[in-house]
């Protein structure tokens, strides 16, 4: 898939700067960004849309973005998802010839207990090695962040006692071009089963940029020569992403595909919705019935949830760094 944006306006072909006296103050800049989308089939298209929208909304008027989506061939896909990839994605074998300026690599749903045992590990580490010297900056999200620090510096992720899920206040702890304009805590969605050790990251040369008092390090970075940026959370998530994940996990519990009932995402639903979901949990544990999820009424999110604010600020700074030459 190739999309071309100019600022917040979608266009279908490159725009030319007016000639002579009509010339704009700044010449247009075109950036080529790659998205390696490793998300599960249920979130594949939604992630395409989320990232494309973020790039579109975050780019200044003089920056045009060409977006190529890629998928690792070693990630098993359903026929429907495979068809989507075949029709709209760029073959990953072309990655090296497209002049990629910046790369975004999403997480994936864990399959193996050890990252090095994931079926896509060789393909993912090849992307990590390539990005070190072939991009100006790259973003690694959630599992991709854990995989990158393991491959680069042997920083092992640690299994959490329970899944970290919810929206958490994350504060800036270091001035950096990525954190420019962050004056108050960012509300960042997190959804992960593992974490990386902050002191060990600092010891290995990583810059800790934001953290949460509840869930630890949030964003960190490292200069390669490419500037690698790592998200433990998911600032790119839209308002309903955590709800979709939570309902998926409930459905898996009801179908007997997981033993434990999922915990409510923290600081996400309204108090009234949490009460409804807690009552439903009691009924579901008493009698597993895959059809009972249909009994849930409409769910309401926390009224003060600032969905997307953190992502727009971070991606605006990221695009600005790419555009500065």
């Amino acid at each position: 898939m190739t999309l071309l944006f100019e600022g917040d306006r979608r266009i279908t072909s490159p725009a030319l700067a007016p000639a002579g006296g009509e010339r704009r103050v700044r010449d247009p800049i075109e950036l080529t960004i790659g998205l390696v989308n490793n998300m599960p089939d249920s979130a594949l298209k939604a992630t395409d849309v989320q990232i494309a929208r973020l790039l579109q909304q975050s780019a200044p008027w003089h920056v045009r973005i060409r977006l190529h989506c890629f998928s690792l061939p070693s990630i098993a896909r359903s026929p429907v998802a495979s068809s989507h990839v075949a029709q709209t994605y760029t073959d990953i074998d072309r990655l090296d010839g497209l002049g990629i300026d910046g790369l975004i690599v999403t997480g994936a749903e864990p399959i193996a207990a050890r990252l090095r045992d994931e079926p896509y590990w060789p393909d993912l580490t090849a992307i990590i090695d390539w990005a070190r010297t072939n991009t100006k900056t790259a973003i690694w999200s959630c599992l991709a962040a854990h995989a990158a620090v393991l491959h680069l510096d042997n920083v092992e992720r640690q299994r959490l006692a329970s899944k970290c899920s919810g929206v958490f206040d994350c504060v800036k702890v270091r001035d950096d071009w990525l954190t420019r304009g962050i004056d108050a805590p960012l509300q960042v969605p997190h959804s992960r089963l593992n974490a990386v050790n902050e002191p060990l990251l600092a010891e290995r040369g990583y810059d800790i940029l934001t953290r949460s008092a509840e869930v630890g390090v949030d964003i960190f970075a490292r200069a390669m020569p490419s500037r690698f940026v790592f998200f433990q959370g998911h600032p790119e998530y839209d308002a309903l992403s955590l709800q979709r994940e939570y309902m998926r996990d409930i459905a898996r519990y009801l179908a007997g595909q997981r033993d434990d009932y999922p915990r409510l995402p923290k600081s996400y639903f309204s108090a009234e919705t949490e009460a409804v979901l807690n009552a439903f949990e009691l009924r579901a544990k008493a009698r597993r019935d895959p059809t009972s999820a249909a009994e849930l009424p409409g769910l309401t999110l926390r009224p003060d949830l600032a969905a997307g604010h953190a992502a727009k600020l971070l991606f605006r700074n990221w695009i600005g760094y790419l555009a500065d030459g």
Side-chain angles (χ1 to χ4, degrees):
M1 177 170 63
T2 303
L3 304 175
L4 189 63
F5 303 115
E6 181 181 12
D8 62 354
R9 179 170 60 88
R10 181 166 178 167
I11 58 178
T12 55
S13 61
L16 299 178
E22 297 180 356
R23 185 182 178 88
R24 289 179 176 176
V25 176
R26 299 189 66 178
D27 290 333
I29 295 172
E30 183 170 313
L31 299 175
T32 301
I33 292 176
L35 167 64
V36 182
N37 190 354
N38 302 315
M39 295 293 278
D41 293 350
S42 59
L44 190 69
K45 289 185 180 180
T47 302
D48 293 347
V49 172
Q50 288 166 7
I51 297 298
R53 182 182 295 126
L54 273 173
L55 293 172
Q56 181 181 24
Q57 294 173 345
S58 304
W61 69 265
H62 66 289
V63 175
R64 291 173 255 174
I65 295 178
R66 188 178 297 275
L67 175 65
H68 290 273
C69 292
F70 305 92
S71 179
L72 298 181
S74 47
I75 293 182
R77 298 288 184 194
S78 69
V80 172
S82 295
S83 176
H84 172 68
V85 168
Q87 293 177 27
T88 61
Y89 279 33
T90 303
D91 192 319
I92 202 160
D93 289 339
R94 295 184 55 205
L95 182 67
D96 195 40
L98 294 170
I100 299 291
D101 299 296
L103 190 69
I104 302 167
V105 184
T106 73
E109 191 169 13
I111 298 173
R114 296 174 66 253
L115 272 172
R116 289 189 175 96
D117 293 333
E118 294 285 0
Y120 49 79
W121 178 255
D123 286 341
L124 184 55
T125 54
I127 296 294
I128 296 167
D129 290 336
W130 178 87
R132 291 180 67 176
T133 54
N134 288 278
T135 65
K136 183 176 181 182
T137 177
I139 291 175
W140 308 87
S141 174
C142 204
L143 183 142
H146 294 169
V149 299
L150 174 61
H151 178 62
L152 293 168
D153 293 289
N154 201 34
V155 177
E156 292 271 4
R157 65 182 184 178
Q158 300 166 331
R159 182 78 174 191
L160 298 170
S162 59
K163 184 177 181 179
C164 172
S165 177
V167 179
F168 302 92
D169 286 346
C170 299
V171 298
K172 179 171 73 173
V173 296
R174 182 188 180 101
D175 288 328
D176 187 84
W177 57 261
L178 188 68
T179 58
R180 189 179 303 119
I182 297 179
D183 301 315
L186 299 175
Q187 290 185 356
V188 180
H190 280 245
S191 178
R192 51 188 168 85
L193 296 166
N194 301 275
V196 286
N197 182 273
E198 182 177 332
L200 183 57
L201 288 173
E203 178 186 306
R204 301 287 167 86
Y206 292 82
D207 298 325
I208 309 302
L209 303 183
T210 64
R211 72 158 64 92
S212 162
E214 293 182 83
V215 297
V217 62
D218 174 49
I219 301 173
F220 52 104
R222 198 184 194 305
M224 290 294 158
S226 177
R227 177 69 162 172
F228 276 16
V229 174
F230 307 89
F231 295 158
Q232 272 220 111
H234 288 279
E236 80 283 359
Y237 271 11
D238 64 30
L240 295 178
S241 293
L242 287 179
Q243 177 175 308
R244 288 191 291 266
E245 287 190 5
Y246 181 64
M247 298 305 293
R248 176 203 67 194
D249 289 344
I250 289 178
R252 288 176 176 176
Y253 173 82
L254 294 174
Q257 297 171 357
R258 57 179 290 164
D259 296 328
D260 61 316
Y261 194 90
R263 296 176 64 178
L264 274 169
K266 192 168 183 180
S267 302
Y268 181 64
F269 290 113
S270 69
E272 294 78 11
T273 293
E274 285 194 356
V276 169
L277 290 170
N278 285 330
F280 180 83
E281 178 180 349
L282 294 176
R283 297 197 303 273
K285 287 180 175 178
R287 185 176 71 91
R288 288 192 184 187
D289 179 0
T291 66
S292 63
E295 302 170 9
L296 283 168
L299 306 179
T300 304
L301 305 185
R302 216 176 85 193
D304 62 340
L305 199 64
H309 172 72
K312 290 175 185 175
L313 192 154
L314 294 166
F315 274 75
R316 183 185 68 204
N317 289 343
W318 189 70
I319 292 171
Y321 178 77
L322 281 170
D324 280 346

